[in-house]
Amino acid sequence: MGRGKLRIYLGAAPGVGKTYAMLAEAHRRVERGTDCAVAFVEHHGRPRTEVLLHGLETVPRRTIDYRGTSFTEMDVDAVLARRPAVALVDELAHTNVPGSRNPKRWQDVEELLAAGIDVVSTVNIQHLESLGDVVESITGVRQQETVPDEVVRRADQIELVDMSPQALRRRMAHGNVYKPDKVDAALSNYFRPGNLTALRELALLWTADRVDEYLRQYRGEHNIRSTWQARERIVVGLTGGPEGRTLIRRATRLAEKGAGGEVLAVYISRSDGLTSASPKELAVQRTLVEDLGGTFHHVVGDDIPDALLDFARGVNATQIVLGSSRRRSWQYVLGPGVGQTVARESGPDLDVHIVTHGEVAKGRGLPVARGARLGRARIIGGWLVGVAAPVLLSLALTHTDADLGLANDMLLFLALTVASALLGGFLPALASAAVGSLLLNWFFTPPIHRITVADPMNIVAIAVFFGVAMAVASVVDLAARRTHQAARLRAESEVLSYLAGSVLRGETSLDALLERVRETFSMESVALLERAGGTEPWTHAATVGPHPARRPEDADVDMPVGDHLALALSGRVLPAEDRRVLGAFAAQAAVVLDRQRLVGEAEEARKLAEGNKIRTSLLAAVSHDLRTPLAGIKASVSSLRSDDVEWSEEDRAELLEGIEAGADRLDHLVGNLLDMSRLQTGTVTPLIRAVDLDEVVPMALGGVPDGSAEADVPETLPMVQVDKGLLERAVANIVENAVKYSPDGVPVAVAASALGDRVELRVVDRGPGVPDESKDGIFEPFQRFGDAPRGSGVGLGLAVARGFVEAMGGTISAEDTPGGGLTMVLTLRAALGGAPPPADLPAHAVT
């Protein structure tokens, strides 16, 4: 008896149609003659789902009594006894009632699979164990019912049931998911558009990863080594030259032709000193590829074609884009070039595109900064040519009948000496001259096979040969050294010129500068360290790369800048000649750090100036609004004091009521002005403590007319960490603003709910609403929306409310009210150890 097969319908959220899809699949199988039975399916009162249960055999459930209440769970024994070919089991992550056969439903499913029964089940992405923290950070709800990822990964088939957030919210609003009395709470909390979009992305990405995993498994089982172009990954080989921008744009156009195309730009630098590209140009190309949606990679490798191909195969690339060579025609004598080598060795799996550009055949210039070191391969080659080649030449000349003469023999040996100098430098050339002189003496000057020389003229010839060979070797070696020194100076001058230009341009990005240091010297990480005094510990002012050094002595290379600043590089030891350029980078890093701090101080000064400007604008803007209540108060008082008019009691009461209303309005205006002034000057210091919302909200509603606002704040809500006085002022301003725009006879709704470690207070009005582009602007000072009448305020209420809420660590935002109007959402931190959420709403969404 084999193991049964598991098929899972995966959804992003409750209500997307997983159970519906599972039951529809069961009907299709029944029509084909498959024995299907419903082991456990919960329709949650959804009519369309309940209809699909008709016509399917249902295995009776098991009833379990727990704490005086009866619950029904899947009867595993009954399903095993019935033994259908396919069992339908809903809600794979469900936790069984204590007293059940297994603690979790997925364990029940494992028993059915072990018995050879195929199972079709459902699960939501938020119930996967590995995504618990991610889902909680998105929705604010910690999922208590989870299923191990490995259980879902082992499924034989995983089918994603997808639905857009807008469509799902419409289903919710139509009552197809939850009962009508739960719809508003669900739409306002768990089923927000942002939450649903993030959960949908998680589901799509998780499913895509499983598809890649199945594909890799299939390729491994069938020993498939070639690249399958299911997804275009295009690698762009960059040299740091100006043609790189053309190549990046060309690769992006190629990627856009296929769905899901990905562009990876890679620059390969050698491991023996400064890199051969302009840091400025590389920075521009990095920015370009990232702006176009690609990624930039820096790889170190001495053999550029091999490194490029290894990188491309490592990322499972399908195409490589390279530029036509900038070398001149005569330079092809030195080798075929990177493009031809990559095209020849790429194999049938990688397509190589050679793109023409405006720099073709214009020359690459001198090699940049490889230093005087020739590399191990060239030195070995120089010694072989200088020592072994003269021996082989002697054997060749002595075993042939050709008699070239001593002069021609000397020229041949001299050519080998020059070749050894070109390859390995002066020491191999010196050895070559010595070995050549001995061989000429032994084989070609009488007496043969003796060290002595009979003819004095031959002694002169051998001496001249040795001298000429040494002179030529010295000149060749000196020219090679001068060439390398010139290349290094050119590279250093380019870097220094760029640093000077960055100073003139006022660039202040310290991270970008350290990244240039890391790329220029091919390092793993770079850190700028600073300390306050000679005995204080070092701290990181800025770092790039993994595992930066914490102290200068821990780094491979350190460059002090003054007494309290140092640049620390990790990755390899730099030669002494590179430290001059590193010193320039270190000095520039110190300048940039000082500039950043000066910018911060200037920003503080700007804020102070802006505060003064706000206060000046405030006095100018409120002149009318302050005078209006004052004028009313003065008119009423003057009327009461007039001796010419005999006022009745009703008239006196009306005038006194007007005075009181004007004084209250004036007090409110002055209070907002003072609050805004405190916010602008940064003098608001909240006293945070645990407070119950049901104590604050009624006090905040005291300033609006009776019946104009209705509060729904459950007593079971967690306490919130706020300043009670600031929260009261903020809620009062929000409610007063909502009442001002709400239609007559339609009260403003003030409701609170708990979401994980947060508590939300929602103020809902049915007014004209606010367009999306204006939602942020309504929180700015002196802003009035629409046709608000003069005298209704100075436009500071919402600005003050936002300032107070953010000072307490909360947030405030505006949303559209379903059916018309505006909803202000005030999010606050819940106090630790607060009361649990209401019992009538589940702590987490259910399917």
Side-chain angles (χ1 to χ4, degrees), residues 286-372:
R286 174 197 292 270
T287 302
L288 176 61
V289 70
E290 290 176 350
D291 289 343
L292 295 176
T295 56
F296 183 91
H297 304 268
H298 185 190
V299 177
V300 177
D302 290 326
D303 193 321
I304 293 179
D306 284 349
L308 181 60
L309 289 171
D310 288 343
F311 176 83
R313 293 190 177 106
V315 298
N316 195 28
T318 58
Q319 301 181 54
I320 297 178
V321 174
L322 299 173
S324 297
S325 178
R326 287 184 284 139
R327 298 195 300 175
R328 301 186 187 278
S329 300
W330 63 267
Q331 291 179 307
Y332 283 96
V333 177
L334 303 176
V338 174
Q340 294 184 21
T341 304
V342 170
R344 184 180 66 248
E345 299 180 1
S346 62
D349 302 333
L350 278 170
D351 296 336
V352 179
H353 301 265
I354 305 297
V355 179
T356 58
H357 50 83
E359 302 296 322
V360 174
K362 290 186 177 180
R364 295 184 301 176
L366 294 174
V368 179
R370 293 194 60 189

Side-chain angles (χ1 to χ4, degrees), residues 388-406:
V391 175
L392 296 177
L393 178 61
S394 299
L395 294 175
L397 292 176
T398 55
H399 286 76
T400 60
D401 296 331
D403 187 7
L404 302 178
L406 183 59

Side-chain angles (χ1 to χ4, degrees), residues 206-508:
W206 196 91
T207 306
D209 288 341
R210 299 291 73 73
V211 172
D212 284 343
E213 183 178 322
Y214 291 150
L215 182 59
R216 287 194 299 269
Q217 180 181 356
Y218 179 85
R219 285 162 54 84
E221 291 174 352
H222 293 78
N223 197 25
I224 299 173
R225 301 302 179 190
S226 60
T227 301
W228 282 9
Q229 299 182 1
R231 182 178 183 182
E232 292 290 348
R233 287 189 177 93
I234 303 174
V235 171
V236 185
L238 301 179
T239 65
E243 77 281 0
R245 307 180 199 182
T246 302
L247 302 184
I248 292 171
R249 293 188 179 96
R250 177 62 175 163
T252 302
R253 291 195 296 271
L254 289 174
E256 290 173 350
K257 294 180 180 179
E262 184 179 359
V263 175
L264 301 91
V266 58
Y267 170 71
I268 300 173
S269 62
R270 300 184 185 275
S271 60
D272 56 353
L274 295 173
T275 63
S276 60
S278 165
K280 177 182 178 181
E281 184 62 31
L282 275 181
V284 171
Q285 294 175 14
R286 174 197 292 270
T287 302
L288 176 61
V289 70
E290 290 176 350
D291 289 343
L292 295 176
T295 56
F296 183 91
H297 304 268
H298 185 190
V299 177
V300 177
D302 290 326
D303 193 321
I304 293 179
D306 284 349
L308 181 60
L309 289 171
D310 288 343
F311 176 83
R313 293 190 177 106
V315 298
N316 195 28
T318 58
Q319 301 181 54
I320 297 178
V321 174
L322 299 173
S324 297
S325 178
R326 287 184 284 139
R327 298 195 300 175
R328 301 186 187 278
S329 300
W330 63 267
Q331 291 179 307
Y332 283 96
V333 177
L334 303 176
V338 174
Q340 294 184 21
T341 304
V342 170
R344 184 180 66 248
E345 299 180 1
S346 62
D349 302 333
L350 278 170
D351 296 336
V352 179
H353 301 265
I354 305 297
V355 179
T356 58
H357 50 83
E359 302 296 322
V360 174
K362 290 186 177 180
R364 295 184 301 176
L366 294 174
V368 179
R370 293 194 60 189
R373 299 179 302 278
L374 299 175
R376 180 179 298 178
R378 287 191 60 180
I379 292 176
I380 293 175
W383 281 101
L384 289 176
V385 173
V387 177
V391 175
L392 296 177
L393 178 61
S394 299
L395 294 175
L397 292 176
T398 55
H399 286 76
T400 60
D401 296 331
D403 187 7
L404 302 178
L406 183 59
N408 291 327
D409 294 336
M410 287 184 176
L411 289 176
L412 292 175
F413 280 96
L414 182 60
L416 294 178
T417 301
V418 173
S420 65
L422 290 172
L423 286 175
F426 182 76
L427 290 179
L430 177 62
S432 178
V435 172
S437 299
L438 291 174
L439 292 175
L440 284 171
N441 184 13
W442 184 264
F443 288 106
F444 302 105
T445 57
I448 305 300
H449 300 157
R450 294 182 64 181
I451 298 298
T452 58
V453 180
D455 189 351
M457 297 300 296
N458 290 337
I459 296 176
V460 174
I462 293 176
V464 170
F465 163 78
F466 185 83
V468 170
M470 292 306 304
V472 171
S474 299
V475 171
V476 171
D477 181 71
L478 181 61
R481 290 178 182 274
R482 292 291 182 266
T483 300
H484 286 298
Q485 290 173 3
R488 170 170 292 280
L489 292 175
R490 177 175 177 269
E492 291 179 0
S493 64
E494 185 178 5
V495 172
L496 295 175
S497 174
Y498 178 73
L499 286 177
S502 66
V503 173
L504 295 176
R505 290 189 298 270
E507 294 182 358
T508 57

Side-chain angles (χ1 to χ4, degrees), residues 522-588:
S522 301
M523 288 293 181
E524 293 181 0
S525 63
V526 179
L528 183 62
L529 304 174
E530 67 173 349
R531 59 181 176 181
T535 60
E536 297 294 328
W538 291 95
T539 60
H540 285 150
T543 63
V544 295
H547 311 299
R550 296 185 178 274
R551 300 179 302 170
E553 50 267 33
D554 296 336
D556 295 319
V557 182
D558 70 283
M559 177 61 65
V561 189
D563 296 332
H564 308 303
L565 204 64
L567 194 63
L569 289 75
S570 301
R572 65 185 182 90
V573 179
L574 286 180
E577 55 265 33
D578 285 346
R579 294 182 65 86
R580 179 171 55 183
V581 178
L582 182 60
F585 271 113
Q588 176 67 1

Side-chain angles (χ1 to χ4, degrees), residues 179-204:
K179 295 180 179 179
D181 58 336
K182 302 293 184 183
V183 170
D184 287 339
L187 289 174
S188 301
N189 296 305
Y190 193 87
F191 290 86
R192 297 177 180 174
N195 291 358
L196 296 178
T197 301
L199 293 174
R200 187 188 189 197
E201 183 179 18
L202 279 178
L204 292 171

Side-chain angles (χ1 to χ4, degrees), residues 672-727:
N672 274 340
L673 294 177
L674 293 176
D675 290 339
M676 197 66 217
S677 177
R678 292 168 60 201
L679 289 171
Q680 292 295 330
T681 56
T683 57
V684 176
T685 305
L687 178 62
I688 303 298
R689 63 178 187 272
V691 176
D692 280 318
L693 272 182
D694 57 355
E695 296 179 4
V696 178
V697 173
M699 298 174 64
L701 300 184
V704 297
D706 293 339
S708 60
E710 295 178 352
D712 180 15
V713 182
E715 296 181 357
T716 55
L717 279 177
M719 302 178 75
V720 291
Q721 291 280 8
V722 295
D723 182 302
K724 185 175 180 180
L726 295 184
L727 179 60

